[in-house]
Amino acid sequence: MIEIEQLAVLDLCAWTGSQYEAARILNFNQSSISRNLLKAKAVLSSVGIECLRGDKYSFEDNYQVLKAQRKIHQQIRFNQAKCLRIEANCWARHLLLEPSPQGWIANQAAIKNFRHCDAIQLLDNHIIDAAVLAIPEAPLECDSRYQRYLLSNQPLFLLVPNGNALVSEIGLSPEDVSRNTELGHSSFVSNECRRVMERLDSHLFGAQDPSYFHIQKEPPPSTRRYGTAMTMLIRPDLVKIDAKMDFLAGDILVVKNDLADHPEILKLILQLRNRLQALQNKIHNLEILC
């Protein structure tokens, strides 16, 4: 059986993509992180569980031995009501999870370490305990493995870099937008959200075969992307343009169904909704859902 400390190191490295971040969370030095990783991998190897090729923190767990260990350790976290783990999309990790809710730790590693990490897979493997997701990223309502708590809705905007010529224009038509901009994605945007944005963009602007690209650093002036007032709070270099958009963006807290009524989850929901209420004076038309 893997010791709690060893599995904590392994899981935090797998979650954050960073040994440095794992050390910060656990208040360990780097040598302690390395030592615990080696011990955890040795225990797993002794029962035939090896690292997947090309990923030093993922394992071929055919008989779900590691998953079972993680579930036990998750139950210990909930029993102790501390060091619970919550993931969030980009805006929420800044606006809802800083500082981390009481009893919880959030992934504060650099965006580049996210590697488009699959929050649902992390939940399913008991590596994390909760996730704040955009609606396209969340499991379907009919999926009985998960419980969804709707947190908020807010208007969706078309955003361009400050300095784009369209910023000063009023009443833009779809032709104005498509002629002067092209769709781009920030590197941290999940694949699920990218696909939804691309379908929405095609619907709004009639693009048959758009050439979508990823933005690694600063967006070029011709870029358009979809976002909300929360996006603009953390990205003041982006400005909404006056183009008609009748769509809402929503955020959902997702947990495994067997944890749905746990007191720590219910307390977390209350904390998140209180933080959303504190943002209402900054975000016009932010609707908090109960």
Side-chain angles (χ1 to χ4, degrees):
M1 185 172 181
I2 303 178
E3 295 178 6
I4 290 177
E5 191 174 273
Q6 294 166 6
L7 189 54
V9 169
L10 181 63
D11 285 354
L12 289 172
C13 288
W15 174 29
T16 67
S18 165
Q19 291 188 30
Y20 174 84
E21 182 67 10
R24 185 195 66 79
I25 291 170
L26 295 169
N27 197 26
F28 285 0
N29 57 41
Q30 289 297 315
S31 61
S32 293
I33 294 292
S34 298
R35 185 166 56 252
N36 278 287
L37 276 174
L38 288 173
K39 288 179 180 178
K41 290 179 179 181
V43 172
L44 292 172
S45 182
S46 71
V47 293
I49 301 175
E50 303 292 346
C51 283
L52 293 174
R53 182 174 295 179
D55 190 340
K56 57 187 176 181
Y57 303 131
S58 296
F59 296 83
E60 187 143 1
D61 189 20
N62 293 329
Y63 299 101
Q64 300 196 330
V65 174
L66 180 56
K67 185 174 181 178
Q69 290 284 294
R70 284 170 164 158
K71 186 169 185 178
I72 292 170
H73 289 204
Q74 182 180 61
Q75 291 168 342
I76 293 171
R77 291 197 296 275
F78 273 93
N79 289 342
Q80 295 178 342
K82 65 180 183 180
C83 296
L84 295 162
R85 304 167 186 167
I86 183 167
E87 177 67 280
N89 58 32
C90 183
W91 75 260
R93 71 195 293 258
H94 294 293
L95 299 179
L96 293 185
L97 301 184
E98 291 181 0
S100 296
Q102 184 178 0
W104 293 78
I105 53 176
N107 188 348
Q108 296 177 351
I111 286 289
K112 66 182 180 182
N113 291 335
F114 274 37
R115 302 169 299 165
H116 307 305
C117 92
D118 186 340
I120 299 304
Q121 186 176 25
L122 292 171
L123 282 171
D124 194 49
N125 288 329
H126 310 289
I127 294 175
I128 64 172
D129 307 307
V132 180
L133 303 173
I135 287 176
E137 301 169 301
L140 296 176
E141 195 170 358
C142 61
D143 192 334
S144 60
R145 295 172 299 170
Y146 305 98
Q147 181 66 43
R148 300 159 28 118
Y149 299 94
L150 295 173
L151 296 175
S152 67
N153 276 328
Q154 56 185 308
L156 189 65
F157 302 129
L158 266 176
L159 308 178
V160 297
N162 200 353
N164 186 291
L166 296 184
V167 171
S168 59
E169 299 292 330
I170 298 173
L172 292 165
S173 68
E175 292 76 19
D176 293 330
V177 175
S178 60
R179 186 170 56 247
N180 291 282
T181 62
E182 55 185 335
L183 180 65
H185 299 305
S186 297
S187 60
F188 54 79
V189 174
S190 71
N191 291 331
E192 292 83 1
C193 282
R194 291 180 192 196
R195 286 192 289 268
V196 170
M197 289 185 221
E198 288 165 8
R199 289 198 299 269
L200 175 59
D201 201 77
S202 181
H203 169 73
L204 290 173
F205 302 112
Q208 297 300 312
D209 186 23
S211 57
Y212 302 111
F213 58 91
H214 301 167
I215 302 164
Q216 300 300 327
K217 296 182 180 178
E218 293 303 313
S222 61
T223 300
R224 68 175 178 267
R225 83 270 305 277
Y226 295 88
T228 66
M230 289 184 176
T231 311
M232 290 185 285
L233 280 178
I234 62 172
R235 289 294 305 273
D237 57 311
L238 297 176
V239 184
K240 72 174 181 177
I241 57 176
D242 187 26
K244 186 175 174 59
M245 290 282 292
D246 293 323
F247 299 92
L248 292 174
D251 294 286
I252 298 178
L253 178 71
V254 180
V255 301
K256 291 297 292 289
N257 199 46
D258 59 338
L259 297 170
D261 296 322
H262 196 284
E264 295 307 315
I265 296 298
L266 300 180
K267 284 193 284 186
L268 173 65
I269 294 167
L270 181 61
Q271 290 186 75
L272 294 176
R273 286 179 174 152
N274 286 341
R275 292 185 182 193
L276 283 164
Q277 286 177 346
L279 289 168
Q280 280 187 305
N281 64 337
K282 298 180 181 178
I283 300 173
H284 184 58
N285 290 333
L286 172 63
E287 180 187 9
I288 299 172
L289 303 173
C290 298

